[in-house]
Amino acid sequence: MGRHSSLRQPHGNHVAAELDGARILVARAPDRAGELVSALRGAGAEPLLLPLIDFEVASDQHSLDVAFDALGAGAYVWLVITSVTTVQALEAKAAERGATLETWLPGSLQVATIGPATRRALQTRGIGVDLAPTAEQSGAGLAGIWPEGRTRVFLPQADIADPALRRGLEARGASVQAVTAYRTVDYPADPARSLAAHAAGPEHHDADPPPAVLTTAEAKTEVAAGRLHAVVAASPSAARRIHAELAPLGGCRFVAIGRSTAGEAETLGLTVASIAEQPTASGLLAAVIRSLAAPPSRPLTLPPPSTP
């Protein structure tokens, strides 16, 4: 069985017929898009990548160091990790201390997370997850299941993180130490400050050829020419960049990962064709298929087939 056979078999030729030949722009860097790229290819689509955001180490390293040392010393009852990027930032801090993130965390610490990708990133490093939402994969989803009572929480997050999660946990009685773990910047990051250059972790190798990576100028040309069927945005910041760099989208459908991304897109005036409630490859694939179910507002023009 090939690597894509599991995607094709449950629906026979139906999924392939839905996306056969569709050109899907994924607003992610190559190291973050592997599973979705495989899912789209397995359904017959041609994925293309448009890296819009990247990540750098936090500007205030002192505050992060103090909180991270307190974490290792057992000062917190809970660690809340909301993204794979946060895992990488903390792993880099552990490496600076000659440890792994797994060995740095006290055995009594409880870990909460959001999203299956973040859970996998932790489990790959030998770290168990004690609490995670099963329905809405968002800060609101986690706050909604958070246990009532006084407890100390360490919340490392992005510099542009929505304060809603911190407020939601505090409303449940938690004392939350929120610290910036990394900065979100336009792609590409400064090589000297790139989080990827500092982060350690398991490497993944894909036998498939990498998808084409477009610049914003190239992507805008493809959108204007009607050669893209859909664009997938993973975050509100990506939605803002898509609006600034690519709009108007014309017949290219906007697919949002999560309601916060969809809400930001709608605020900017972008029409959201579909929302992936679950940030998984299968959830995103289903959202892309839904987005293309209705006829486009104007014809899409595919590029001529390449000659061998």
Side-chain angles (χ1 to χ4, degrees):
M1 292 175 62
R3 61 179 288 121
H4 303 311
S5 57
S6 62
L7 284 168
R8 291 180 182 275
Q9 286 182 346
H11 303 285
N13 292 325
H14 177 66
V15 172
E18 290 280 358
L19 293 185
D20 189 26
R23 304 180 82 231
I24 311 300
L25 186 65
V26 179
R28 278 181 169 173
D31 63 336
R32 300 298 180 94
E35 291 186 4
L36 179 54
V37 165
S38 294
L40 290 170
R41 282 175 167 167
E46 178 190 354
L48 303 100
L49 301 185
L50 176 63
L52 292 175
I53 60 174
D54 209 344
F55 307 102
E56 294 181 356
V57 296
S59 299
D60 183 0
Q61 287 292 297
H62 175 72
S63 294
L64 180 57
D65 283 331
V66 170
F68 191 73
D69 287 338
L71 176 68
Y76 303 101
V77 177
W78 282 93
L79 169 63
V80 176
I81 298 184
T82 60
S83 70
V84 173
T85 309
T86 304
V87 177
Q88 294 175 333
L90 296 187
E91 183 73 21
K93 281 294 158 190
E96 290 175 4
R97 290 155 174 78
T100 65
L101 186 55
E102 178 191 8
T103 59
W104 187 259
L105 301 182
S108 60
L109 184 72
Q110 294 180 279
V111 178
T113 189
I114 297 172
T118 310
R119 177 190 283 270
R120 285 195 302 272
L122 289 167
Q123 292 175 336
T124 298
R125 291 163 170 82
I127 301 168
V129 173
D130 300 288
L131 184 68
T134 56
E136 182 181 351
Q137 299 297 314
S138 67
L142 180 59
I145 62 170
W146 190 264
E148 295 270 3
R150 296 175 62 85
T151 188
R152 293 204 67 194
V153 178
F154 178 41
L155 175 61
Q157 54 189 357
D159 58 325
I160 60 172
D162 189 328
L165 174 57
R166 174 180 58 80
R167 293 170 181 166
L169 300 185
E170 289 174 342
R172 293 271 184 163
S175 173
V176 181
Q177 179 70 42
V179 177
T180 297
Y182 61 92
R183 294 180 62 238
T184 304
V185 298
D186 290 346
Y187 185 90
D190 179 350
R193 299 189 58 80
S194 170
L195 181 60
H198 289 76
E203 294 185 1
H204 302 278
H205 301 280
D206 197 326
D208 289 342
V213 178
L214 305 185
T215 65
T216 52
E218 291 169 338
K220 187 173 182 63
T221 297
E222 294 296 296
V223 169
R227 291 193 290 262
L228 293 175
H229 290 77
V231 56
V232 179
S235 65
S237 56
R240 290 191 290 271
R241 288 291 307 281
I242 288 170
H243 174 262
E245 304 284 355
L246 304 184
L249 295 181
C252 179
R253 306 300 178 86
F254 185 94
V255 179
I257 301 178
R259 294 196 173 275
S260 60
T261 303
E264 182 69 15
E266 290 173 343
T267 298
L268 294 168
L270 295 173
T271 299
V272 178
S274 185
I275 302 172
E277 300 291 355
Q278 297 291 333
T280 60
S282 59
L284 294 171
L285 178 62
V288 171
I289 291 173
R290 288 197 304 272
S291 77
L292 300 181
S297 57
R298 63 184 176 89
L300 287 158
T301 306
L302 292 178
S306 57
T307 55

